[in-house]
């Protein structure tokens, strides 16, 4: 019997990034689910327990979807909800954002982010590597990586 695939949640409003990471993680043996706004992210997390959450901080609400309507506080609030939820409080969260301001990074870590990655400074394969590392440290059985070199 094989172990179940580790489940990755990604909360990200950019469809291109969502699709890219969905492909990357599923090709490497992970289960994957995504949400594109604050409310959908809340519902996704409330419905099940993932093994790892990737979280963008600049999120829209369902009612406002224009790029000018995204708000860093929504991502930080969602992080707080995750880390205070009895079911998911121990779920590792990697913030994956293009905000590279020390105050925001510090606030995310203070609210419980396990790591903070600036999207523009990292390759997708490095995000996968970091996710595998965090999951391994948490004792999650990782899938054999069919794409390992």
């Amino acid at each position: 019997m094989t172990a179940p695939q580790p489940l990755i949640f990604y909360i990200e409003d950019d469809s291109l990034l969502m699709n890219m990471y969905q492909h990357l993680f599923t090709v490497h043996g992970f289960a994957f689910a995504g949400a594109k706004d604050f409310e959908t992210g809340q519902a996704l997390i409330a419905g099940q327990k993932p093994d790892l959450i990737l979280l963008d901080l600049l999120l829209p609400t369902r009612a406002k979807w224009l790029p000018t309507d995204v708000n860093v506080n929504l991502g930080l609030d969602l992080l707080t909800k995750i880390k205070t939820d009895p079911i998911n409080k121990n779920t590792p969260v990697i913030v994956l954002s293009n905000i590279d301001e020390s105050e925001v990074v510090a606030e995310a870590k203070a609210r419980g982010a396990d790591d903070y990655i600036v999207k523009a400074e990292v390759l997708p394969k490095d995000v996968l590597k970091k996710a595998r590392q965090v999951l391994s440290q948490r004792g999650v059985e990782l899938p054999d990586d069919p794409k390992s070199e």
Side-chain angles (χ1 to χ4, degrees), residues 12-22 36:
E12 166 66 64
D13 62 318
D14 184 317
S15 295
L16 181 64
L17 287 175
M18 177 72 74
N19 292 338
M20 178 186 67
Y21 278 104
Q22 180 176 16
K36 294 184 179 186

Side-chain angles (χ1 to χ4, degrees), residues 17-145:
L17 287 175
M18 177 72 74
N19 292 338
M20 178 186 67
Y21 278 104
Q22 180 176 16
H23 177 76
L24 178 71
F25 277 95
T26 56
V27 150
H28 287 272
F30 292 87
F32 186 95
K36 294 184 179 186
D37 58 58
F38 177 79
E39 293 89 353
T40 308
Q42 275 187 301
L44 183 67
I45 290 162
Q48 52 189 319
K49 182 178 180 355
D51 294 292
L52 175 76
I53 298 170
L54 300 174
L55 175 65
D56 186 13
L57 293 182
L58 288 174
L59 295 173
T61 64
R62 194 176 291 154
K64 296 184 176 184
W65 53 269
L66 297 174
T68 56
D69 294 325
V70 294
N71 185 335
V72 69
N73 290 323
L74 289 176
L76 290 170
D77 288 349
L78 190 52
L79 176 59
T80 299
K81 287 180 184 298
I82 293 164
K83 290 301 184 174
T84 57
D85 174 57
I87 295 171
N88 285 305
K89 67 182 179 184
N90 294 319
T91 300
V93 177
I94 298 174
V95 171
L96 191 56
S97 178
N98 270 326
I99 299 173
D100 191 13
E101 298 172 12
S102 59
E103 306 84 33
V104 175
V105 174
E107 182 65 21
K109 289 190 175 184
R111 292 190 189 205
D114 293 85
D115 206 342
Y116 192 106
I117 298 172
V118 178
K119 289 187 257 187
E121 297 176 356
V122 68
L123 295 172
K125 70 178 184 174
D126 296 325
V127 174
L128 175 67
K129 183 177 178 181
K130 175 53 96 173
R132 290 180 66 85
Q133 177 186 19
V134 168
L135 289 168
S136 178
Q137 290 170 347
R138 296 287 179 112
V140 174
E141 187 175 338
L142 297 175
D144 292 332
D145 189 349

